């Protein structure tokens, strides 16, 4: 009996020689496999994470697997917006172009507290950090166009809600609830950004990777639940190297040129949420996100 591979239609032989790709969370899991695939295609690949040791190990492994020495490891911590700003500044200062941005960082099980930026930690790591990074790097992506942004979301978004008065309240939601809210925000951000940058040469997509054989629950405080949930992922999850074909497909395949703003699962357009069509709602989230991450006049390419 043949087992169906949901990712067969993701396969593409597009080369990326002369291109630059940035993958956040590129030290493990889907991000690592995506970065490796991009490097094999000839791209200069930047991997971003907060752990210097893991960055160097991942860089070495990607170079060894791809035969491509143009791999850069650069530290960034989404728990600090100052770190995101410094990362963006360094990238703009050192990279003449940026063709692909894959926003892959995601986490669950983080403490329910406010960061130094007065944002709820789960929301900042799973949404606001990527929003800020993408906003700051957009001018470089535009000058390198045609270019693409891929925002990794989750099926959990269907359980999310955006309550503008309480989005960052500590104790308002369960840990999983904050995760759901952040993943919904990522999809709404994708839709609204597409409306605002249409015609710029930059395409933006969101995607649901599904369940993969990862250690996604590594931050869970309870050892019992950590082992149980990660064990379940190993049993029921899909191979990470196959899941990683989807963000790469969205980032490189010419067939998707006219699909900017769309949401994908298993390499096909997929329903996300009813609120993506509420333009007033997505606009409000965009404006509120800019306010909360404190976009300055110097950073604001919309002015």
């Amino acid at each position: 009996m043949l087992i169906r591979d949901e990712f067969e239609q993701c396969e593409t032989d597009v080369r990326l020689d002369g291109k630059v790709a940035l993958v956040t969370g590129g030290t493990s899991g889907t991000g690592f496999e995506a970065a490796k695939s991009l490097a094999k295609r000839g791209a200069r690949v930047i991997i971003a994470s907060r752990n210097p040791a893991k960055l160097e190990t991942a860089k070495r492994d990607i170079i060894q697997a791809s035969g491509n020495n143009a791999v850069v490891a650069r530290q960034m911590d989404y728990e600090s917006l100052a770190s995101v700003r410094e990362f963006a500044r360094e990238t703009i200062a050192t990279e003449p172009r940026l063709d692909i941005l894959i926003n892959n960082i995601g986490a669950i099980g983080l403490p329910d507290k406010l960061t130094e930026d007065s944002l709820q930690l789960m929301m900042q790591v799973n949404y606001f950090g990527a929003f800020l990074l993408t906003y700051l790097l957009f001018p470089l992506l535009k000058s390198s166009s045609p270019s693409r942004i891929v925002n990794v979301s989750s099926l959990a978004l269907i359980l999310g809600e955006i309550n503008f008065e309480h989005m960052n309240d500590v104790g308002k939601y369960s840990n999983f609830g904050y995760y759901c809210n952040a993943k919904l925000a990522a999809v709404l951000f994708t839709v609204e950004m597409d409306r605002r940058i249409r015609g710029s040469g930059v395409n933006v997509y969101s995607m649901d990777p599904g369940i993969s054989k990862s250690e996604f629950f590594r931050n869970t405080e309870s050892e019992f639940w950590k082992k149980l949930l990660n064990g379940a992922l190993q049993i029921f999850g899909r191979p990470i190297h196959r899941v990683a074909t989807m963000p790469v497909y969205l980032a490189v395949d010419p067939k998707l040129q006219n699909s900017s703003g769309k949401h994908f699962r298993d390499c096909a357009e997929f329903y996300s949420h009813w609120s993506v069509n509420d333009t007033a709602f997505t606009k409000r989230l965009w404006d509120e996100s800019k306010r909360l991450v404190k976009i300055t006049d110097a950073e604001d390419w919309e002015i």
Side-chain angles (χ1 to χ4, degrees):
M1 177 178 165
L2 291 176
I3 299 176
R4 176 174 168 265
D5 183 349
E6 300 93 334
F7 303 105
E8 283 183 2
Q9 57 187 329
C10 290
E11 298 292 354
T12 173
D13 58 0
V14 173
R15 293 288 304 173
L16 297 171
D17 303 282
K19 306 291 187 180
V20 178
L22 166 58
V23 183
T24 69
T27 58
S28 62
T30 303
F32 172 78
E33 294 295 336
K36 190 163 61 175
S37 175
L38 295 168
K40 287 180 178 179
R41 296 167 189 271
R44 172 178 168 84
V45 176
I46 306 165
I47 55 172
S49 179
R50 68 177 184 172
N51 188 310
K54 288 184 178 180
L55 276 168
E56 287 307 313
T57 298
K59 174 183 173 180
R60 182 194 65 222
D61 291 346
I62 292 170
I63 291 174
Q64 184 175 4
S66 66
N68 180 352
N69 290 318
V71 179
V72 178
R74 193 166 291 158
Q75 192 174 4
M76 177 179 64
D77 186 354
Y78 269 180
E79 293 191 20
S80 165
L81 296 186
S83 175
V84 177
R85 283 186 159 89
E86 175 57 26
F87 177 92
R89 185 203 63 75
E90 184 179 357
T91 300
I92 292 168
T94 57
E95 303 297 334
R97 63 182 302 115
L98 181 61
D99 303 272
I100 294 168
L101 168 60
I102 299 180
N103 287 313
N104 172 72
I105 286 178
I108 199 165
L110 302 177
D112 183 9
K113 66 177 185 178
L114 293 180
T115 67
E116 61 187 22
D117 303 295
S118 299
L119 301 173
Q120 202 279 339
L121 178 58
M122 283 286 292
M123 290 297 296
Q124 182 160 327
V125 170
N126 287 288
Y127 171 63
F128 288 114
F131 177 89
L132 176 60
L133 179 67
T134 306
Y135 200 95
L136 297 177
L137 292 181
F138 173 72
L140 182 57
L141 286 156
K142 182 180 178 182
S143 68
S144 311
S145 63
S147 52
R148 296 188 182 182
I149 301 163
V150 180
N151 293 322
V152 178
S153 181
S154 166
L155 187 61
L157 71 88
I158 63 175
L159 300 176
E161 70 168 23
I162 304 298
N163 184 327
F164 294 107
E165 282 70 39
H166 302 286
M167 193 157 45
N168 287 291
D169 286 5
V170 170
K172 174 71 174 176
Y173 302 97
S174 68
N175 197 270
F176 183 64
Y178 287 114
Y179 180 78
C180 296
N181 297 349
K183 292 307 180 181
L184 173 57
V187 169
L188 301 181
F189 151 52
T190 300
V191 171
E192 183 62 24
M193 185 169 197
D194 175 63
R195 292 192 184 109
R196 290 171 183 254
I197 67 173
R198 202 166 292 163
S200 67
V202 182
N203 281 9
V204 56
Y205 312 88
S206 62
M207 57 162 277
D208 167 19
I211 299 173
S212 62
K213 295 181 184 296
S214 68
E215 298 290 323
F216 185 63
F217 296 97
R218 60 188 173 276
N219 296 308
T220 302
E221 188 173 351
S222 166
E223 284 298 321
F224 171 79
W225 285 109
K226 182 190 300 185
K227 290 180 180 179
L228 180 65
L229 293 171
N230 283 332
L233 291 181
Q234 297 306 311
I235 296 171
F236 299 108
R238 301 183 289 187
I240 291 177
H241 74 282
R242 298 304 293 152
V243 175
T245 61
M246 184 159 43
V248 174
Y249 169 70
L250 295 177
V252 307
D253 200 285
K255 295 194 297 290
L256 302 175
Q257 185 56 40
N258 297 319
S259 298
S260 184
K262 304 297 185 182
H263 184 66
F264 288 79
R265 179 183 169 92
D266 298 350
C267 310
E269 286 187 29
F270 193 74
Y271 174 80
S272 58
H273 196 269
W274 64 267
S275 58
V276 298
N277 297 313
D278 187 338
T279 54
F281 192 72
T282 59
K283 178 184 183 301
R284 185 177 178 189
L285 175 62
W286 179 274
D287 292 340
E288 186 69 0
S289 299
K290 286 178 65 175
R291 184 185 73 81
L292 289 170
V293 301
K294 299 178 175 62
I295 296 294
T296 67
D297 286 352
E299 295 168 342
D300 196 344
W301 42 263
E302 294 189 282
I303 292 178

